[in-house]
Amino acid sequence: MHLYKSQPLKVYNSLKGKKEIFESISEGYVGMYVCGPTVYSNVHLGNCRTFMSFDMIFRYLKHLGYKVRYVRNITDAGHLENDADEGEDKIAKKARLERIEPMEVVQRYTVDFHTILQKFNFLPPSIEPTATGHIIEQIEIIKDIIEKGFAYEINGSVYFDVPKFNESHNYGKLSGRKLEDMISNTRELASQDEKKSPQDFALWKKAETQHIMRWPSPWGDGFPGWHLECTAMSTKYLGETFDIHGGGMDLKFPHHECEIAQAEASNGVSPVKYWMHANMLTMNGKKMAKSTGNNILPEEIFTGNNDILSKAFTPTVVRFFMMQAHYTSILDLSNDALLASEKGYSKLMDAIGAIDAINTSDSSSIDVVSWRQKCYDAMNDDFNSPTLIAHLFEAVKHINTLKEHKATITESDKNLLKATLNAFIFDVLGLENKNVSSADNDKLPDVVSLLIQLRKEARDNKDFATSDKIRDQLAALGIQLKDGKDGTTFSVS
RNA sequence: GGCAUUGUGGCCGAGUGGCUAGGCAGAGCUCUGCAAAAGCUUGUACAGCGGUUCGAAUCCGCUCGAUGCCUCCA
């Protein structure tokens, strides 16, 4: 019944720097935590790629039969500007600039985040907790860490004592850094820093009087450090040790390194069995940055409203484009790449739509069973979606060959082929079928069939002026007719 | 400067120590009333320079380039 028993999965563990056989801590169950967005502006397309990678991973784990608890947080406090005036909270800053309440900022961009993800056909996580909803838990962890001697309070703020922690633990094991190197590479700053060591990081920050996002604590009014929320929420919902922790490559250090330190200091055990990091998205070969203008919002792709694009692209085409690269590779977005993906996606959907009409035989000239296993092998190899897609196009070729009666397939193989394609394309990759007509135009197939019939009659009478008129005018409406061995089909673009 | 990831044919992108990735674009053929679609055929790719090896794009070293990070603090 459970596929995971027959389909051994390997994942690349950033902590070890190699692929490992995936064995969940509790058989049949997977706990997965992914660092969610800081909701102070519209969700970045690069962020979407990270979350989409983990959406696909979530989907495949579920497909394998695991019961997955997927926790993805919303950071609505504590994430400070690192290059701004005074280390202001990103959300508080936005609120100040727009003269609205911080929670209005949070609400606006949380809604934006959910809207975009829905367009991309994301599955909702099992739990989507917020940092502000877990202040009490965070304070408890800080108390615990202080008690164990790995943190100190000074002037109403609490800092994690990294050198102390490093004496008995390994700070830097995830990012491959050594504390000594970090110390020698740190610029000497003017010594007004209240931290004992530049490597120390804040668990709790004292709120200055003008700081509006503040909570009471044993150390006075303040707010939690950014790294702490993830430790608090992952521990609360997934336990002291859980299976998978994911996030963007950019969070590896310091964020994830600090999470490990906090959890080990507090619980005495390493929090995560498999660390997984998704790689970055670039555009036209360069990093995406608002400052250089080399940046694009998801909505601008859906509308085509951006200078680098020649047209609009649907969310599912963008999703297909992203799935064509491995999640650990840098992916480069460009108009040409999206155009190529759009055509490939179309071809895939046309094949899906053509399966039902295929005639079956007593024997198969296609080995569907081993093809299916190749699809699983690809996904089992650290979620290799691009290789999976290569295999899906093999199936496309098979389907088209069958359509031309140049191959044969049995009824059961045909059903297996169809079920496998549906499972991987829609359940695992999360693509949506554009050929499935919506309620608004569900009469379209009948109408087009009528026109196809009229065109056939015209062609039979050698009235090519009429037949071409039907074909060309439908094409102008975005409906393409395709003449095949068994008559004419159509697709809508 | 340090750490990490990375550099594949016109474009996007997999992969392995010796055996086809795949998609898009291009070329030829088949089919077709003509197209389109589809099928078949077609590409002296693996940043550069050394090394290991019978053999490396795949392992090692160096060089060059790309991407991320270098800590809540000016």
Side-chain angles (χ1 to χ4, degrees), chain A residues 348-407:
Chain A
L348 189 60
M349 290 305 139
D350 287 349
I352 287 286
I355 292 183
D356 286 336
I358 287 172
N359 296 320
T360 54
S361 312
D362 294 338
S363 65
S364 291
S365 58
I366 298 161
D367 188 348
V368 179
V369 172
S370 63
W371 165 80
R372 176 175 180 268
Q373 187 53 45
K374 282 202 292 184
C375 292
Y376 278 102
D377 290 346
M379 288 303 288
N380 292 339
D381 185 14
D382 195 27
F383 308 97
N384 197 325
S385 56
T387 299
L388 167 68
I389 289 172
H391 295 321
L392 296 180
F393 277 103
E394 265 180 55
V396 168
K397 206 163 206 179
H398 288 320
I399 289 166
N400 288 327
T401 314
L402 286 161
K403 227 166 59 179
E404 301 220 330
H405 308 308
K406 287 177 180 166

Side-chain angles (χ1 to χ4, degrees), chain A residues 405-422:
Chain A
H405 308 308
K406 287 177 180 166
T408 58
I409 192 165
T410 63
E411 183 72 32
S412 66
D413 276 351
K414 177 179 154 180
N415 291 336
L416 183 64
L417 178 69
K418 185 180 176 181
T420 307
L421 282 171
N422 281 332

Side-chain angles (χ1 to χ4, degrees), chain A residues 346 434-435 475 477-480 491-493:
Chain A
S346 228
K434 65 162 194 188
N435 289 334
L477 293 171
I479 296 168
Q480 195 187 28
S491 68
V492 185
S493 61

Side-chain angles (χ1 to χ4, degrees), chain A residues 53-71:
Chain A
S53 297
F54 288 103
D55 183 61
M56 175 271 289
I57 288 166
F58 178 42
R59 285 165 173 274
Y60 188 59
L61 290 170
K62 281 170 61 129
H63 174 76
L64 288 180
Y66 286 110
K67 290 207 186 315
V68 187
R69 180 178 291 172
Y70 173 27
V71 181

Side-chain angles (χ1 to χ4, degrees), chain A residues 118-136:
Chain A
Q118 198 161 31
K119 288 184 182 176
F120 277 127
N121 197 31
F122 275 61
L123 255 30
S126 321
I127 304 175
E128 193 167 46
T130 60
T132 55
H134 297 76
I135 302 290
I136 292 168

